[in-house]
Amino acid sequence: VVAIYAFLRSSTYGDAGVQSSRTFSTKPQIDTISSIRNKLANLYFSDHIFPSGDKLEVANVSALYDIVDTAIDSIGVRGLYFGVFTDGELDWWFQGREDEERWDCWETHGTSHCDAYEPWWWYHYLGAMTAEKLLKEGRVLWDTEKDRNRNYDTNAADLVRKIHRFQYQFRNELGDMTYHATHGLIWHTIAATHAELGTSFPFELTDAFCGDVYGDGEYYAPRANKDIGRECFHSIGHAIFYVVAQRQLQMTSMTSKLQLRPSSGFVLSEDSWCEIYQLCHGAANMTNKTINSSKVEDRCFGGVRHSVRILASDDDERWHYTTPDAQRKTFFLAAMNHCH
């Protein structure tokens, strides 16, 4: 653990670097890890993220976006992901506050699983917000080097691959926070830039984001208990879900400031289920010899199933977190029976 923090604080990042990064002129640092955590903690104990009484399918999380936007300009993606949101530390930061500052979870957030979905959900939103900032501004700060020049990334796929390198290099130290963030980063990038995926699995996009971690168990991270490649394919499933859901909700543009609400009761239409079936099922045609195409298909459906489960109403026993996973899979397959 000492080694990883020494690395993350260092002025260079060696094997974790990606050559596509560019250097731009310096800009004064305006936030620190400590001040950003204080802002997040204050927001966590307010009703700004999910306004009280608002049980709509879409939640406004613009207050969180404002903090993330400024934080990336100040300390970069590396400082935010591997500093502010270091595994477990932000949870501890929140839990260290006085109990009387806590809110009633259902009344304020519209979900009965706040212990699991806060800051767990924030990790996903963090990735989506990083993607939106990159798309809007054309670059995001990675870190600040000793000479005070600021090192930027200009491509979402290259940024994801850089995070993959961190995940693998520190596979014995890092937990699962960055995996959730990359899910959001990938799903937002694809949903915002490819609102029409067509009728076939997005092979080129999958190669762009996941091509560096193809393999079957070769990129396993024991501390997080995750395979980096499989998690990347899982992200593609999330992205396919969000593209289809966005169209179903007739959202003309994708913004990370509006997120489908946890446990909102959002339900896919029959046409949406069939779109998803056609897209994910197409993964079985992958010809890359280094990856089992059936596993890519399974992980794609897994990302969709995960999205369905965490957005379903708490009253919907088909997807409830207490329902055995095998039973949820049965419900999932049944929902697409008419699509074959």
Side-chain angles (χ1 to χ4, degrees), residues 5 8 77-84 86 142 163 166 174 178:
Y5 291 133
L8 296 176
V77 172
R78 189 173 93 170
L80 188 58
Y81 283 36
F82 299 98
V84 173
T86 300
W142 173 249
I163 295 170
F166 266 94
L174 286 176
T178 58

Side-chain angles (χ1 to χ4, degrees), residues 2 55 86 178 184 186 193 212 218 264 272 279 291 296 310 314:
V2 173
K55 304 295 192 295
T86 300
T178 58
I186 291 172
T193 59
D212 59 323
E218 294 178 30
S264 66
S272 293
L279 286 163
I291 188 68
V296 178
I310 56 187
D314 287 333

Side-chain angles (χ1 to χ4, degrees), residues 11 57 74 82 88 92 112 133 148 156 176 186 192 217 265 300 306:
S11 61
E57 290 174 326
S74 300
F82 299 98
W92 175 86
S112 58
K133 185 174 178 64
R148 302 304 295 170
D176 60 4
I186 291 172
C300 180
H306 191 197

Side-chain angles (χ1 to χ4, degrees), residues 293-304:
S293 60
S294 65
K295 290 186 177 180
V296 178
E297 179 187 14
D298 180 67
R299 297 301 287 184
C300 180
F301 279 129
V304 173

Side-chain angles (χ1 to χ4, degrees), residues 220-246:
Y220 176 70
R223 170 68 174 79
N225 191 26
K226 293 184 181 295
D227 181 275
I228 300 171
R230 292 177 187 175
E231 287 299 312
C232 194
F233 300 136
H234 182 92
S235 303
I236 302 297
H238 276 306
I240 285 174
F241 172 88
Y242 275 91
V243 167
V244 174
Q246 175 184 340

Side-chain angles (χ1 to χ4, degrees), residues 102-212:
R102 290 185 174 274
W103 24 244
D104 177 85
C105 190
W106 173 259
E107 185 62 29
T108 304
H109 290 265
T111 173
S112 58
H113 307 304
C114 280
D115 287 344
Y117 290 164
E118 300 291 334
W120 183 87
W121 267 107
W122 286 20
Y123 298 155
H124 294 79
Y125 299 161
L126 171 65
M129 290 168 180
T130 303
E132 177 163 331
K133 185 174 178 64
L134 176 54
L135 289 171
K136 285 171 58 178
E137 300 179 10
R139 64 183 192 179
V140 288
L141 177 68
W142 173 249
D143 69 356
T144 301
E145 298 182 339
K146 279 184 178 179
D147 62 5
R148 302 304 295 170
N149 284 331
R150 300 167 74 79
N151 195 282
Y152 288 80
D153 280 291
T154 58
N155 179 283
D158 289 343
L159 179 59
V160 168
R161 287 176 176 231
K162 182 182 290 184
I163 295 170
H164 285 166
R165 289 195 175 199
F166 266 94
Q167 289 170 339
Y168 189 68
Q169 185 170 356
F170 295 103
R171 57 193 177 277
N172 294 314
E173 293 88 6
L174 286 176
D176 60 4
M177 174 264 149
T178 58
Y179 295 88
H180 301 315
T182 51
H183 289 176
L185 206 163
I186 291 172
W187 92 41
H188 184 88
T189 301
I190 293 178
T193 59
H194 293 76
E196 298 292 338
L197 280 175
T199 58
S200 60
F201 182 78
F203 296 109
E204 291 185 4
L205 288 170
T206 302
D207 273 332
F209 285 107
C210 310
D212 59 323

